[in-house]
Amino acid sequence: DIQMTQSPPSLSASVGDRVTITCRASQSISGKLNWYQQKPGKAPNLLIFLASTLQNGVPSRFSGSGSGTDFTLTISTLQPEDFGTYYCQQSYIPPLTFGGGTKVDIK
Amino acid sequence: QVQLQESGPGLVRPSETLSLTCTVSGDSMNNYYWTWIRQPPGKGLEWIGYVYHSGSTSYNPSLKSRVTISLDTSKNQFSLKLSSVTAADTAVYYCVRDQEGAYGMDVWGQGTTVSVSS
């Protein structure tokens, strides 16, 4: 199985801050990396697919980058509604696997 | 707008079989991977497996001996069966639409909580 490792596990930031979350795969996944946001008690929501393509309706302050084994999710200007837990997920080969999550709190 | 809705018992006895159904509305079931994901309380997301619109399946090896995912396109439904459950199978179960081309899991059901307890 491909292991996905996210860092940090949690962070606290202020409105307006730039936030970066990293995700590392245990082997190359050819850019097949997705990012999701999950709010408490809700299903996850797809933010970015294929490492850098923004899903329809997702604000442009979210962006993704990376290749090979290392990927990044960036929130350019943190907004109050961006709290929640963020997960990366590889769609390169089954079993599809998720990172452990990064919990984002607003200071 | 496509919507997914899980249904099934919220409580299952240990050693019995967990059965859930997902009803798809607003779109056909063609050209997607119909997927089950679960999330134990306070933990992360675990991929259980999928059934493709053709009927082919793929399962997580950690659950493979106990899992069956099937498709009924005439009813616009797909189903999950997980046998010999234990307390470790207690989780929120989500049915999910996963897109071809690795475009991500774009539609999720609201999730249903299944507890395993006697």
Side-chain angles (χ1 to χ4, degrees):
Chain A
D1 299 6
I2 297 176
Q3 306 303 314
M4 307 300 293
T5 304
Q6 279 183 244
S7 61
S10 64
L11 65 91
S12 185
S14 299
V15 172
D17 284 354
R18 183 180 182 88
V19 170
T20 299
I21 299 168
T22 63
C23 178
R24 173 166 288 176
S26 59
Q27 66 181 73
S28 176
I29 55 173
S30 297
K32 294 184 177 180
L33 189 283
N34 307 314
W35 289 98
Y36 302 85
Q37 176 196 57
Q38 185 179 32
K39 296 193 174 182
K42 300 295 186 182
N45 180 50
L46 177 65
L47 298 175
I48 288 169
F49 60 93
L50 293 173
S52 61
T53 303
L54 204 63
Q55 173 72 352
N56 287 341
V58 174
S60 59
R61 63 181 179 273
F62 291 93
S63 64
S65 63
S67 63
T69 61
D70 294 321
F71 300 88
T72 299
L73 173 69
T74 300
I75 309 173
S76 61
T77 308
L78 191 69
Q79 298 299 304
E81 61 267 31
D82 297 337
F83 73 93
T85 301
Y86 292 80
Y87 293 94
C88 61
Q89 175 244 329
Q90 64 84 12
S91 54
Y92 179 62
I93 190 169
L96 307 186
T97 45
F98 292 85
T102 296
K103 186 175 181 181
V104 175
D105 290 325
I106 309 296
K107 281 183 183 175
Chain B
Q1 178 181 352
V2 61
Q3 292 185 315
L4 307 182
Q5 179 65 59
E6 305 91 350
S7 58
L11 178 65
V12 182
R13 306 298 184 193
S15 79
E16 296 188 344
T17 296
L18 179 160
S19 296
L20 296 175
T21 296
C22 183
T23 301
V24 180
S25 59
D27 199 1
S28 80
M29 299 190 75
N30 291 336
N31 304 319
Y32 294 104
Y33 298 92
W34 300 99
T35 297
W36 289 95
I37 303 284
R38 71 179 183 178
Q39 186 170 35
K43 296 188 177 181
L45 301 164
E46 180 180 31
W47 180 80
I48 298 171
Y50 66 64
V51 57
Y52 190 48
H53 71 98
S54 64
S56 63
T57 56
S58 179
Y59 300 135
N60 193 320
S62 67
L63 300 170
K64 188 173 184 177
S65 64
R66 300 193 290 132
V67 172
T68 303
I69 300 175
S70 58
L71 187 66
D72 187 341
T73 54
S74 68
K75 295 182 178 179
N76 258 34
Q77 293 178 335
F78 63 108
S79 298
L80 168 70
K81 292 188 185 299
L82 181 66
S83 64
S84 305
V85 297
T86 70
D89 295 310
T90 293
V92 176
Y93 286 76
Y94 295 100
C95 61
V96 182
R97 187 178 83 170
D98 193 1
Q99 302 177 91
E100 291 185 324
Y103 287 1
M105 300 178 191
D106 68 330
V107 182
W108 295 63
Q110 65 184 18
T112 187
T113 299
V114 179
S115 297
V116 178
S117 174
S118 55

PDB file of all heavy atoms in Angstrom, chain A residues 14-42:
ATOM      1  N   SER A  14      -4.012  32.816  11.969  1.00  0.00           N
ATOM      2  CA  SER A  14      -4.918  33.967  12.019  1.00  0.00           C
ATOM      3  C   SER A  14      -5.529  34.238  10.659  1.00  0.00           C
ATOM      4  O   SER A  14      -4.955  33.873   9.617  1.00  0.00           O
ATOM      5  CB  SER A  14      -4.143  35.198  12.484  1.00  0.00           C
ATOM      6  OG  SER A  14      -3.605  35.011  13.774  1.00  0.00           O
ATOM      7  N   VAL A  15      -6.691  34.863  10.680  1.00  0.00           N
ATOM      8  CA  VAL A  15      -7.320  35.281   9.432  1.00  0.00           C
ATOM      9  C   VAL A  15      -6.333  36.162   8.654  1.00  0.00           C
ATOM     10  O   VAL A  15      -5.698  37.063   9.225  1.00  0.00           O
ATOM     11  CB  VAL A  15      -8.622  36.041   9.716  1.00  0.00           C
ATOM     12  CG1 VAL A  15      -9.188  36.662   8.441  1.00  0.00           C
ATOM     13  CG2 VAL A  15      -9.655  35.085  10.325  1.00  0.00           C
ATOM     14  N   GLY A  16      -6.203  35.856   7.372  1.00  0.00           N
ATOM     15  CA  GLY A  16      -5.275  36.597   6.525  1.00  0.00           C
ATOM     16  C   GLY A  16      -3.923  35.935   6.357  1.00  0.00           C
ATOM     17  O   GLY A  16      -3.156  36.310   5.461  1.00  0.00           O
ATOM     18  N   ASP A  17      -3.618  34.958   7.201  1.00  0.00           N
ATOM     19  CA  ASP A  17      -2.339  34.256   7.100  1.00  0.00           C
ATOM     20  C   ASP A  17      -2.291  33.369   5.859  1.00  0.00           C
ATOM     21  O   ASP A  17      -3.316  32.921   5.344  1.00  0.00           O
ATOM     22  CB  ASP A  17      -2.096  33.360   8.324  1.00  0.00           C
ATOM     23  CG  ASP A  17      -1.676  34.139   9.553  1.00  0.00           C
ATOM     24  OD1 ASP A  17      -1.454  35.358   9.443  1.00  0.00           O
ATOM     25  OD2 ASP A  17      -1.571  33.501  10.629  1.00  0.00           O
ATOM     26  N   ARG A  18      -1.081  33.088   5.435  1.00  0.00           N
ATOM     27  CA  ARG A  18      -0.834  32.092   4.392  1.00  0.00           C
ATOM     28  C   ARG A  18      -0.548  30.772   5.100  1.00  0.00           C
ATOM     29  O   ARG A  18       0.288  30.715   6.003  1.00  0.00           O
ATOM     30  CB  ARG A  18       0.360  32.506   3.538  1.00  0.00           C
ATOM     31  CG  ARG A  18       0.677  31.583   2.372  1.00  0.00           C
ATOM     32  CD  ARG A  18       1.895  32.117   1.619  1.00  0.00           C
ATOM     33  NE  ARG A  18       2.247  31.322   0.453  1.00  0.00           N
ATOM     34  CZ  ARG A  18       1.738  31.524  -0.755  1.00  0.00           C
ATOM     35  NH1 ARG A  18       0.871  32.495  -0.952  1.00  0.00           N
ATOM     36  NH2 ARG A  18       2.128  30.782  -1.782  1.00  0.00           N
ATOM     37  N   VAL A  19      -1.261  29.728   4.691  1.00  0.00           N
ATOM     38  CA  VAL A  19      -1.155  28.427   5.345  1.00  0.00           C
ATOM     39  C   VAL A  19      -0.687  27.391   4.328  1.00  0.00           C
ATOM     40  O   VAL A  19      -1.199  27.335   3.200  1.00  0.00           O
ATOM     41  CB  VAL A  19      -2.518  28.005   5.945  1.00  0.00           C
ATOM     42  CG1 VAL A  19      -2.490  26.552   6.402  1.00  0.00           C
ATOM     43  CG2 VAL A  19      -2.889  28.925   7.103  1.00  0.00           C
ATOM     44  N   THR A  20       0.251  26.558   4.744  1.00  0.00           N
ATOM     45  CA  THR A  20       0.768  25.512   3.873  1.00  0.00           C
ATOM     46  C   THR A  20       0.716  24.172   4.592  1.00  0.00           C
ATOM     47  O   THR A  20       1.163  24.055   5.746  1.00  0.00           O
ATOM     48  CB  THR A  20       2.217  25.814   3.456  1.00  0.00           C
ATOM     49  OG1 THR A  20       2.249  27.056   2.728  1.00  0.00           O
ATOM     50  CG2 THR A  20       2.760  24.706   2.561  1.00  0.00           C
ATOM     51  N   ILE A  21       0.174  23.180   3.910  1.00  0.00           N
ATOM     52  CA  ILE A  21       0.093  21.806   4.409  1.00  0.00           C
ATOM     53  C   ILE A  21       0.834  20.921   3.414  1.00  0.00           C
ATOM     54  O   ILE A  21       0.671  21.069   2.201  1.00  0.00           O
ATOM     55  CB  ILE A  21      -1.373  21.353   4.535  1.00  0.00           C
ATOM     56  CG1 ILE A  21      -2.125  22.254   5.533  1.00  0.00           C
ATOM     57  CG2 ILE A  21      -1.460  19.888   4.952  1.00  0.00           C
ATOM     58  CD1 ILE A  21      -3.635  22.059   5.509  1.00  0.00           C
ATOM     59  N   THR A  22       1.643  20.018   3.933  1.00  0.00           N
ATOM     60  CA  THR A  22       2.400  19.145   3.035  1.00  0.00           C
ATOM     61  C   THR A  22       1.930  17.698   3.145  1.00  0.00           C
ATOM     62  O   THR A  22       1.411  17.260   4.180  1.00  0.00           O
ATOM     63  CB  THR A  22       3.899  19.227   3.312  1.00  0.00           C
ATOM     64  OG1 THR A  22       4.152  18.754   4.639  1.00  0.00           O
ATOM     65  CG2 THR A  22       4.390  20.651   3.185  1.00  0.00           C
ATOM     66  N   CYS A  23       2.146  16.979   2.082  1.00  0.00           N
ATOM     67  CA  CYS A  23       1.740  15.569   1.979  1.00  0.00           C
ATOM     68  C   CYS A  23       2.838  14.836   1.224  1.00  0.00           C
ATOM     69  O   CYS A  23       3.257  15.274   0.141  1.00  0.00           O
ATOM     70  CB  CYS A  23       0.412  15.474   1.243  1.00  0.00           C
ATOM     71  SG  CYS A  23      -0.214  13.802   0.980  1.00  0.00           S
ATOM     72  N   ARG A  24       3.294  13.749   1.795  1.00  0.00           N
ATOM     73  CA  ARG A  24       4.352  12.962   1.158  1.00  0.00           C
ATOM     74  C   ARG A  24       3.874  11.534   0.956  1.00  0.00           C
ATOM     75  O   ARG A  24       3.353  10.904   1.892  1.00  0.00           O
ATOM     76  CB  ARG A  24       5.618  12.979   2.008  1.00  0.00           C
ATOM     77  CG  ARG A  24       6.737  12.047   1.502  1.00  0.00           C
ATOM     78  CD  ARG A  24       8.056  12.349   2.172  1.00  0.00           C
ATOM     79  NE  ARG A  24       8.623  13.615   1.682  1.00  0.00           N
ATOM     80  CZ  ARG A  24       9.742  14.154   2.158  1.00  0.00           C
ATOM     81  NH1 ARG A  24      10.406  13.558   3.144  1.00  0.00           N
ATOM     82  NH2 ARG A  24      10.189  15.301   1.657  1.00  0.00           N
ATOM     83  N   ALA A  25       4.070  11.033  -0.244  1.00  0.00           N
ATOM     84  CA  ALA A  25       3.720   9.651  -0.574  1.00  0.00           C
ATOM     85  C   ALA A  25       4.945   8.757  -0.428  1.00  0.00           C
ATOM     86  O   ALA A  25       6.077   9.201  -0.635  1.00  0.00           O
ATOM     87  CB  ALA A  25       3.185   9.568  -1.993  1.00  0.00           C
ATOM     88  N   SER A  26       4.703   7.496  -0.120  1.00  0.00           N
ATOM     89  CA  SER A  26       5.808   6.557   0.091  1.00  0.00           C
ATOM     90  C   SER A  26       6.445   6.101  -1.229  1.00  0.00           C
ATOM     91  O   SER A  26       7.492   5.458  -1.212  1.00  0.00           O
ATOM     92  CB  SER A  26       5.331   5.342   0.889  1.00  0.00           C
ATOM     93  OG  SER A  26       4.275   4.683   0.215  1.00  0.00           O
ATOM     94  N   GLN A  27       5.803   6.424  -2.347  1.00  0.00           N
ATOM     95  CA  GLN A  27       6.376   6.191  -3.663  1.00  0.00           C
ATOM     96  C   GLN A  27       5.775   7.210  -4.623  1.00  0.00           C
ATOM     97  O   GLN A  27       4.795   7.877  -4.289  1.00  0.00           O
ATOM     98  CB  GLN A  27       6.113   4.766  -4.166  1.00  0.00           C
ATOM     99  CG  GLN A  27       4.643   4.477  -4.426  1.00  0.00           C
ATOM    100  CD  GLN A  27       4.407   3.056  -4.888  1.00  0.00           C
ATOM    101  OE1 GLN A  27       4.500   2.108  -4.105  1.00  0.00           O
ATOM    102  NE2 GLN A  27       4.111   2.898  -6.177  1.00  0.00           N
ATOM    103  N   SER A  28       6.344   7.319  -5.804  1.00  0.00           N
ATOM    104  CA  SER A  28       5.803   8.270  -6.765  1.00  0.00           C
ATOM    105  C   SER A  28       4.368   7.915  -7.134  1.00  0.00           C
ATOM    106  O   SER A  28       4.036   6.738  -7.336  1.00  0.00           O
ATOM    107  CB  SER A  28       6.659   8.270  -8.034  1.00  0.00           C
ATOM    108  OG  SER A  28       6.079   9.126  -8.994  1.00  0.00           O
ATOM    109  N   ILE A  29       3.515   8.941  -7.209  1.00  0.00           N
ATOM    110  CA  ILE A  29       2.104   8.709  -7.537  1.00  0.00           C
ATOM    111  C   ILE A  29       1.698   9.476  -8.800  1.00  0.00           C
ATOM    112  O   ILE A  29       0.515   9.703  -9.040  1.00  0.00           O
ATOM    113  CB  ILE A  29       1.181   9.056  -6.352  1.00  0.00           C
ATOM    114  CG1 ILE A  29       1.390  10.483  -5.856  1.00  0.00           C
ATOM    115  CG2 ILE A  29       1.383   8.063  -5.221  1.00  0.00           C
ATOM    116  CD1 ILE A  29       0.381  10.924  -4.784  1.00  0.00           C
ATOM    117  N   SER A  30       2.682   9.889  -9.568  1.00  0.00           N
ATOM    118  CA  SER A  30       2.421  10.471 -10.900  1.00  0.00           C
ATOM    119  C   SER A  30       1.392  11.597 -10.865  1.00  0.00           C
ATOM    120  O   SER A  30       0.553  11.708 -11.771  1.00  0.00           O
ATOM    121  CB  SER A  30       1.978   9.369 -11.875  1.00  0.00           C
ATOM    122  OG  SER A  30       3.004   8.428 -12.058  1.00  0.00           O
ATOM    123  N   GLY A  31       1.449  12.389  -9.830  1.00  0.00           N
ATOM    124  CA  GLY A  31       0.569  13.556  -9.757  1.00  0.00           C
ATOM    125  C   GLY A  31      -0.875  13.257  -9.426  1.00  0.00           C
ATOM    126  O   GLY A  31      -1.722  14.149  -9.459  1.00  0.00           O
ATOM    127  N   LYS A  32      -1.184  11.994  -9.099  1.00  0.00           N
ATOM    128  CA  LYS A  32      -2.577  11.623  -8.816  1.00  0.00           C
ATOM    129  C   LYS A  32      -2.863  11.816  -7.333  1.00  0.00           C
ATOM    130  O   LYS A  32      -2.996  10.863  -6.555  1.00  0.00           O
ATOM    131  CB  LYS A  32      -2.856  10.211  -9.297  1.00  0.00           C
ATOM    132  CG  LYS A  32      -2.767  10.129 -10.826  1.00  0.00           C
ATOM    133  CD  LYS A  32      -3.120   8.777 -11.371  1.00  0.00           C
ATOM    134  CE  LYS A  32      -3.081   8.807 -12.892  1.00  0.00           C
ATOM    135  NZ  LYS A  32      -3.425   7.500 -13.492  1.00  0.00           N
ATOM    136  N   LEU A  33      -2.978  13.086  -6.976  1.00  0.00           N
ATOM    137  CA  LEU A  33      -3.114  13.486  -5.587  1.00  0.00           C
ATOM    138  C   LEU A  33      -4.287  14.451  -5.464  1.00  0.00           C
ATOM    139  O   LEU A  33      -4.396  15.418  -6.240  1.00  0.00           O
ATOM    140  CB  LEU A  33      -1.801  14.152  -5.127  1.00  0.00           C
ATOM    141  CG  LEU A  33      -1.549  14.502  -3.647  1.00  0.00           C
ATOM    142  CD1 LEU A  33      -2.293  15.759  -3.222  1.00  0.00           C
ATOM    143  CD2 LEU A  33      -1.903  13.342  -2.721  1.00  0.00           C
ATOM    144  N   ASN A  34      -5.160  14.176  -4.519  1.00  0.00           N
ATOM    145  CA  ASN A  34      -6.341  14.999  -4.287  1.00  0.00           C
ATOM    146  C   ASN A  34      -6.315  15.554  -2.867  1.00  0.00           C
ATOM    147  O   ASN A  34      -5.738  14.952  -1.965  1.00  0.00           O
ATOM    148  CB  ASN A  34      -7.607  14.169  -4.485  1.00  0.00           C
ATOM    149  CG  ASN A  34      -7.627  13.456  -5.823  1.00  0.00           C
ATOM    150  OD1 ASN A  34      -7.331  14.056  -6.859  1.00  0.00           O
ATOM    151  ND2 ASN A  34      -7.954  12.167  -5.812  1.00  0.00           N
ATOM    152  N   TRP A  35      -6.970  16.689  -2.698  1.00  0.00           N
ATOM    153  CA  TRP A  35      -7.098  17.326  -1.384  1.00  0.00           C
ATOM    154  C   TRP A  35      -8.574  17.525  -1.050  1.00  0.00           C
ATOM    155  O   TRP A  35      -9.365  17.922  -1.907  1.00  0.00           O
ATOM    156  CB  TRP A  35      -6.419  18.686  -1.376  1.00  0.00           C
ATOM    157  CG  TRP A  35      -4.924  18.657  -1.424  1.00  0.00           C
ATOM    158  CD1 TRP A  35      -4.135  18.822  -2.523  1.00  0.00           C
ATOM    159  CD2 TRP A  35      -4.027  18.481  -0.311  1.00  0.00           C
ATOM    160  NE1 TRP A  35      -2.813  18.750  -2.163  1.00  0.00           N
ATOM    161  CE2 TRP A  35      -2.713  18.545  -0.823  1.00  0.00           C
ATOM    162  CE3 TRP A  35      -4.210  18.270   1.057  1.00  0.00           C
ATOM    163  CZ2 TRP A  35      -1.586  18.414  -0.001  1.00  0.00           C
ATOM    164  CZ3 TRP A  35      -3.088  18.137   1.867  1.00  0.00           C
ATOM    165  CH2 TRP A  35      -1.804  18.205   1.344  1.00  0.00           C
ATOM    166  N   TYR A  36      -8.907  17.280   0.223  1.00  0.00           N
ATOM    167  CA  TYR A  36     -10.278  17.422   0.717  1.00  0.00           C
ATOM    168  C   TYR A  36     -10.274  18.259   1.994  1.00  0.00           C
ATOM    169  O   TYR A  36      -9.316  18.216   2.770  1.00  0.00           O
ATOM    170  CB  TYR A  36     -10.891  16.061   1.035  1.00  0.00           C
ATOM    171  CG  TYR A  36     -10.922  15.115  -0.145  1.00  0.00           C
ATOM    172  CD1 TYR A  36      -9.820  14.336  -0.463  1.00  0.00           C
ATOM    173  CD2 TYR A  36     -12.052  15.012  -0.949  1.00  0.00           C
ATOM    174  CE1 TYR A  36      -9.833  13.479  -1.551  1.00  0.00           C
ATOM    175  CE2 TYR A  36     -12.086  14.152  -2.043  1.00  0.00           C
ATOM    176  CZ  TYR A  36     -10.962  13.394  -2.337  1.00  0.00           C
ATOM    177  OH  TYR A  36     -10.980  12.543  -3.422  1.00  0.00           O
ATOM    178  N   GLN A  37     -11.383  18.966   2.200  1.00  0.00           N
ATOM    179  CA  GLN A  37     -11.632  19.671   3.454  1.00  0.00           C
ATOM    180  C   GLN A  37     -12.823  19.000   4.138  1.00  0.00           C
ATOM    181  O   GLN A  37     -13.836  18.726   3.480  1.00  0.00           O
ATOM    182  CB  GLN A  37     -11.969  21.140   3.178  1.00  0.00           C
ATOM    183  CG  GLN A  37     -12.329  21.944   4.413  1.00  0.00           C
ATOM    184  CD  GLN A  37     -13.022  23.260   4.051  1.00  0.00           C
ATOM    185  OE1 GLN A  37     -14.043  23.276   3.383  1.00  0.00           O
ATOM    186  NE2 GLN A  37     -12.447  24.368   4.484  1.00  0.00           N
ATOM    187  N   GLN A  38     -12.698  18.752   5.422  1.00  0.00           N
ATOM    188  CA  GLN A  38     -13.809  18.188   6.178  1.00  0.00           C
ATOM    189  C   GLN A  38     -14.097  19.065   7.395  1.00  0.00           C
ATOM    190  O   GLN A  38     -13.195  19.341   8.186  1.00  0.00           O
ATOM    191  CB  GLN A  38     -13.526  16.756   6.630  1.00  0.00           C
ATOM    192  CG  GLN A  38     -14.716  16.103   7.318  1.00  0.00           C
ATOM    193  CD  GLN A  38     -14.461  14.669   7.752  1.00  0.00           C
ATOM    194  OE1 GLN A  38     -13.346  14.293   8.099  1.00  0.00           O
ATOM    195  NE2 GLN A  38     -15.495  13.843   7.710  1.00  0.00           N
ATOM    196  N   LYS A  39     -15.349  19.452   7.527  1.00  0.00           N
ATOM    197  CA  LYS A  39     -15.773  20.197   8.708  1.00  0.00           C
ATOM    198  C   LYS A  39     -16.456  19.237   9.670  1.00  0.00           C
ATOM    199  O   LYS A  39     -16.961  18.189   9.260  1.00  0.00           O
ATOM    200  CB  LYS A  39     -16.677  21.353   8.292  1.00  0.00           C
ATOM    201  CG  LYS A  39     -15.924  22.373   7.435  1.00  0.00           C
ATOM    202  CD  LYS A  39     -16.668  23.664   7.263  1.00  0.00           C
ATOM    203  CE  LYS A  39     -15.783  24.662   6.520  1.00  0.00           C
ATOM    204  NZ  LYS A  39     -16.444  25.976   6.347  1.00  0.00           N
ATOM    205  N   PRO A  40     -16.458  19.571  10.959  1.00  0.00           N
ATOM    206  CA  PRO A  40     -16.996  18.645  11.961  1.00  0.00           C
ATOM    207  C   PRO A  40     -18.413  18.203  11.643  1.00  0.00           C
ATOM    208  O   PRO A  40     -19.278  19.037  11.333  1.00  0.00           O
ATOM    209  CB  PRO A  40     -16.943  19.469  13.247  1.00  0.00           C
ATOM    210  CG  PRO A  40     -15.822  20.435  13.036  1.00  0.00           C
ATOM    211  CD  PRO A  40     -15.882  20.779  11.580  1.00  0.00           C
ATOM    212  N   GLY A  41     -18.636  16.896  11.692  1.00  0.00           N
ATOM    213  CA  GLY A  41     -19.958  16.346  11.463  1.00  0.00           C
ATOM    214  C   GLY A  41     -20.399  16.313  10.009  1.00  0.00           C
ATOM    215  O   GLY A  41     -21.553  15.959   9.728  1.00  0.00           O
ATOM    216  N   LYS A  42     -19.510  16.663   9.098  1.00  0.00           N
ATOM    217  CA  LYS A  42     -19.856  16.715   7.670  1.00  0.00           C
ATOM    218  C   LYS A  42     -18.974  15.794   6.858  1.00  0.00           C
ATOM    219  O   LYS A  42     -17.900  15.376   7.302  1.00  0.00           O
ATOM    220  CB  LYS A  42     -19.700  18.148   7.137  1.00  0.00           C
ATOM    221  CG  LYS A  42     -20.570  19.175   7.827  1.00  0.00           C
ATOM    222  CD  LYS A  42     -22.042  18.925   7.588  1.00  0.00           C
ATOM    223  CE  LYS A  42     -22.889  20.042   8.158  1.00  0.00           C
ATOM    224  NZ  LYS A  42     -24.349  19.772   7.974  1.00  0.00           N
TER     225      LYS A  42
END
